[in-house]
Amino acid sequence: MKYSIFSLARAALSGHKKWPRTWRDAEPKPRYDVVIIGGGGHGLATAYHLAAEYGIRNVAVLEKGWIGSGNAGRNTTIIRSNYLLPGNIGFYELSMKLWETMERDLNYNTMVSQRGVLNLYHSDAQRDAYARRGNAMRINGIDAELLDRTAVRKMVPFLNFDNARFPIEGGLLQRRGGTARHDAVVWGYAHAADRLGVDIIQNCEVTGFVRDAGGRVTGVETSRGKIGAGKVGMAVAGSSSRVAAMADLRLPIESHVLQAFVSEGIKPLIPNVITFGAGHFYVSQSDKGGLVFGGDIDGYNSYAQRGNLPVVEDVCEGGMALMPIIGRVRLLRQWGGIMDMSMDGSPIIDRTPVDGLYLNAGWCYGGFKATPASGLVFAHLLARDEPHKEATRFRLDRFRRGAMIDEKGQGAQPNLH
């Protein structure tokens, strides 16, 4: 169905008892032109763009659980395009532009809130690094403002500006950044893709690949039977290595848990997204009043959607150093998402050495904000068999070629293990 003021009025007349399903719970067909493994934001966005941009509608999205049960519902909802390096800067700005038109494009309220993202700096060296990043953004037509201490204090006066170890000296502000409702994003893409004829198949776990005599992938084995495919795309985040292993493919990826937290609801306090420059801590406030925050990955490999207490302590210490006023706020809940950490902290969107199998992985900390652009460029790759112009640097062989995109050194860091 299409949402509008008229559909809302019709539903109101029935006491809101006759709303149809947002998308069909489809049964698998014997064969599709494209099968996408993974019903998170990236997989659903890919299916939507295949149908909307490239006219490929005989598409299935396979999700082993339910839509929104993976990382799509386990993140801190931040959207931004404040990157520095070629490759990342154009890609994430493409994503930001798609965020800005998403609700009209999908005919769905994804609660995109461009409240601004403020990265704090605490030293002259960090100020210079942020000035460089801001200049790179502005050269590429992206908004960026370098704020001094007075301007930051006027915006967020409740922070601990005079911390003896980490005094706040200023910040880099991207006003177009902000947040979006994570589960509404996957529901919106599912809604829009379904309207274009895409089959969304839940509770359908992929257990293997079907290959012909030449080794080409021609379909998938699932818990609901064999499904043939002209092409198969993987968008399974932290499970990328496990799924790729079914095709005898080893990836330069490690899986780690990234925890996130929500506090009890409090009165409006934080007007934007704030990141602590002296530690890995970021925070925003939800529409319900809860503080949503997170920090570093857990320092060990895991496929479990939970974390450990030392990281909880580290994240809370970062929050207390930044704004001690939250010390009496109670933690409401915590969760963990499985991060597919690439070796340079940047994604991989490419054909694999296995013919017929395509890869979208390695999103590290940046998966949610990349959702719209990831779907568009992966759809382009599946439709045209060539990389989108904004994804040419995200090739799988860049590690062999020494062409890493090391934005912050925030990859898996296997040298530490």
Side-chain angles (χ1 to χ4, degrees), residues 60 74 105 120 151 171 192 396:
R74 294 170 173 269
D105 295 341
L120 300 174
L396 179 58

Side-chain angles (χ1 to χ4, degrees), residues 188-207:
Y189 275 118
H191 163 74
D194 178 80
R195 287 186 62 208
L196 295 172
V198 172
D199 282 356
I200 298 169
I201 305 168
Q202 302 178 90
N203 301 307
C204 183
E205 182 177 1
V206 171
T207 57

Side-chain angles (χ1 to χ4, degrees), residues 115-123 126-127 130 144-162 166-175 269-277 283 322-323:
R115 61 186 68 183
V117 173
L118 176 64
N119 301 131
L120 300 174
Y121 63 79
H122 306 267
S123 66
Q126 196 169 34
R127 177 202 60 210
Y130 280 5
E145 301 172 44
L146 191 67
L147 306 182
D148 62 14
R149 180 186 179 98
T150 301
V152 172
R153 187 186 290 273
K154 183 177 180 180
M155 180 179 294
V156 281
F158 50 84
L159 299 183
N160 184 8
F161 284 83
D162 299 316
F166 313 116
I168 297 171
E169 302 295 344
L172 179 66
L173 175 66
Q174 184 184 23
R175 294 188 185 273
L269 173 67
I270 300 176
N272 47 22
V273 179
I274 303 173
T275 73
F276 185 32
V283 62
L322 180 62
M323 44 184 184

